[in-house]
Amino acid sequence: MPRRLDNWINGAASAPSTAAYTTGLNPTNGSPTVDIGVSGAADVDHAVACARRSADAWRHFPSAERGRILAAIARSIRDNADRLADREIEDTGKPRATALGEVENSAAYFEFYAGLVNLPVGELLDVEPNQHIFTKREPYGVIGVITPWNLPLNQAARAVAPALVTGNTVVLKPAETSGQTTIALARIATEAGLPDGVFNVVLGAGSTVGSAIVAHPDVRKVAFTGSVRTGRAIGKVAADRVIPLTLELGGKSANIVFEDAELDLAAKEAVRAFASNAGQVCSAGTRLLVQRSVHDEFVAEVVRIAAALREGEDLGPMITRAQFEQVQEYFEVAAKEGARPALGGSVTRRPELAGGFYVQPTIYAGVSNDMRIAREEIFGPVLVTMPFDDEREAVSIANDSDFGLVAGVFTSDIGRALRVSDAIEAGQVFVNSWSTGAVQTPFGGHKNSGYGREKGIEAMYHYTHLKSVVVVY
Ligand code: NAD
């Protein structure tokens, strides 16, 4: 009898009111995993009612106590690291080291925000005698969080920790296929002392549960991570409801390598940039721009390193069947556009992986930036490379994109690194390293990559709004 995954509402497991379940698939071999609840709008109503009921008490908890509970959640995540990694691997197929890294990062979010519980602070304003004017930041109330399937635990922790520490309550919907670690996180939070109703998880489809969360009159802010298409749809509802929204959408991030860079390091980082989590990362570096004088030789080295990635060991599968199909469609698009792979370009050829959703690490060298494979987010381990002649052209190609999430710059000239970082239209720029990990670093996009910021102290501003109090005496 397969295990059942139920909602977590008001501090306890809660079967969906629909009594409906769908079977999860293990992406490494297509076998059934766990029966996942398919909830309806009534479950959202129930979860939001619990979140609303608990909001006032949670907001007025002694702040040190809120911080202590978040710190206890961080400790418990670490204590349960192996079990959480097992569940994440079952849902996503990712390599164990990647899953454990995600678990550690999730603990780090709770730890970081636990220590910041008394930030952000307000201001005292000097205006007139006999006036005492101050500002304070207040929670919104109930926050709706909607997450995708690529880094489920990490994306849940990234939003939930700053939302809770600032005194909000949460109703979260994970992606249809990958809710196990989010439910485990909610259970851990309850066991660590989080009051019932403060963090609720409702499983189910985006079109029903997701849209019910966004439309619910008691949800006062939404934090969404996922596709541009869904982000737009949610944005329209949020605009009608006049509620704030954080959108973390896709990317087609440029990684720029100049001829004066430390090329061995840059080549290793270029592979990490596009192949981590099998390319299923919104901040993946999937457009590699290389100065023409070293382009061919550098790309040959990148191909050599990427070719050594072992499918099924270093490189996990595509996490959903739909994503597996999407990447294959892009292989066909590439062929039609006349791009020939310098590496890969098909599903895995390893017979023992044939039942899973595996694709080869793939590199299309010397493409043009107007091809679809250079403009659209593929969300798999697929890299395109382009030569450029000088700094101006590099920046111009990098910015010639609908997206603007992150960028990399590899050069030994610090002046150039700073000039290019300044000119790039992206929310984060990495110089001489492809490093997106730190929970302290604000994260978010320009253009179609979204707006608002997660992570860092900055996220705490996005989960609170400002009140000015004017006292005349
Ligand atoms: P998606 O946008 O369809 O789903 C993301 C989340 O939104 C899921 O929980 C989904 O159930 C929910 N959702 C869907 N429709 C909704 C609606 N109308 N209202 C409210 N919630 C809704 O993305 P996906 O299908 O998971 O992935 C498709 C593409 O999105 C990928 O190929 C990739 O390009 C992109 N993606 C980006 C990220 C990222 O981190 N930025 C992560 C995963 C996927």
Side-chain angles (χ1 to χ4, degrees), residues 31-378:
S31 66
T33 53
V34 57
D35 284 347
I36 308 164
V38 183
S39 309
D43 301 288
V44 173
D45 287 345
H46 178 205
V48 173
C50 294
R52 178 142 194 235
R53 237 189 345 262
S54 60
D56 205 43
W58 178 242
R59 171 186 170 182
H60 292 109
F61 243 61
S63 57
E65 188 55 24
R66 274 209 309 273
R68 266 195 291 273
I69 292 173
L70 263 81
I73 296 172
R75 276 195 302 279
S76 184
I77 292 172
R78 288 207 177 93
D79 290 346
N80 287 285
D82 278 320
R83 285 193 318 131
L84 286 164
D86 288 345
R87 299 279 79 83
E88 198 74 323
I89 291 165
E90 196 174 36
D91 277 351
T92 64
K94 62 185 66 182
R96 186 155 200 90
T98 312
L100 283 169
E102 195 185 323
V103 173
E104 170 50 32
N105 222 34
S106 305
Y109 281 117
F110 282 91
E111 189 172 58
F112 174 66
Y113 288 111
L116 295 177
V117 65
N118 290 116
L119 277 181
V121 291
E123 294 174 319
L124 189 59
L125 304 175
D126 177 12
V127 182
E128 301 267 349
N130 305 329
Q131 289 190 356
H132 182 83
I133 303 178
F134 63 96
T135 63
K136 62 198 290 260
R137 299 211 70 97
E138 296 183 338
Y140 282 103
V142 182
I143 308 270
V145 177
I146 298 174
T147 55
W149 38 256
N150 54 331
L151 303 160
L153 180 63
N154 179 71
Q155 281 147 337
R158 188 181 75 185
V160 170
L164 295 186
V165 82
T166 46
N168 299 282
T169 58
V170 170
V171 175
L172 189 159
K173 190 200 89 63
E176 291 78 342
T177 47
S178 57
Q180 291 198 68
T181 49
T182 308
I183 294 290
L185 176 66
R187 178 187 286 274
I188 281 173
T190 300
E191 289 170 0
L194 191 71
D196 294 348
V198 171
F199 173 24
N200 310 277
V201 183
V202 184
L203 304 163
S207 54
T208 49
V209 173
S211 50
I213 290 174
V214 179
H216 199 293
D218 288 334
V219 170
R220 300 307 317 157
K221 177 204 155 102
V222 170
F224 172 76
T225 307
S227 65
V228 177
R229 196 163 61 100
T230 307
R232 280 207 178 97
I234 290 177
K236 287 180 183 139
V237 180
D240 274 351
R241 293 198 48 226
V242 198
I243 58 166
L245 184 62
T246 300
L247 292 179
E248 291 290 358
L249 309 177
K252 191 76 182 178
S253 295
N255 186 10
I256 306 172
V257 178
F258 288 93
E259 62 188 4
D260 64 359
E262 197 185 314
L263 293 175
D264 287 347
L265 168 80
K268 288 191 196 104
E269 292 292 274
V271 173
R272 214 160 61 80
F274 89 93
S276 293
N277 212 37
Q280 298 162 111
V281 187
C282 45
S283 55
T286 47
R287 286 189 301 148
L288 180 61
L289 315 187
V290 187
Q291 200 150 19
R292 196 177 300 280
S293 52
V294 294
H295 176 274
D296 292 356
E297 172 200 348
F298 183 79
V299 170
E301 179 63 4
V302 172
V303 167
R304 193 187 65 73
I305 298 170
L309 291 173
R310 294 159 303 173
E311 293 153 51
E313 287 165 69
D314 307 314
L315 207 62
M318 299 298 93
I319 293 169
T320 67
R321 189 187 292 283
Q323 190 57 37
F324 185 45
E325 284 162 6
Q326 174 167 311
V327 176
Q328 291 174 71
E329 277 166 32
Y330 276 105
F331 290 148
E332 284 170 28
V333 169
K336 285 201 191 102
E337 290 183 314
R340 293 176 58 80
L343 179 71
S346 84
V347 300
T348 185
R349 302 245 191 262
R350 292 180 56 179
E352 71 277 20
L353 300 178
F357 306 151
Y358 290 93
V359 301
Q360 298 174 326
T362 297
I363 298 175
Y364 297 102
V367 312
S368 138
N369 198 42
D370 56 13
M371 290 181 178
R372 282 184 61 196
I373 54 169
R375 304 200 74 79
E376 297 174 17
E377 185 179 47
I378 298 173

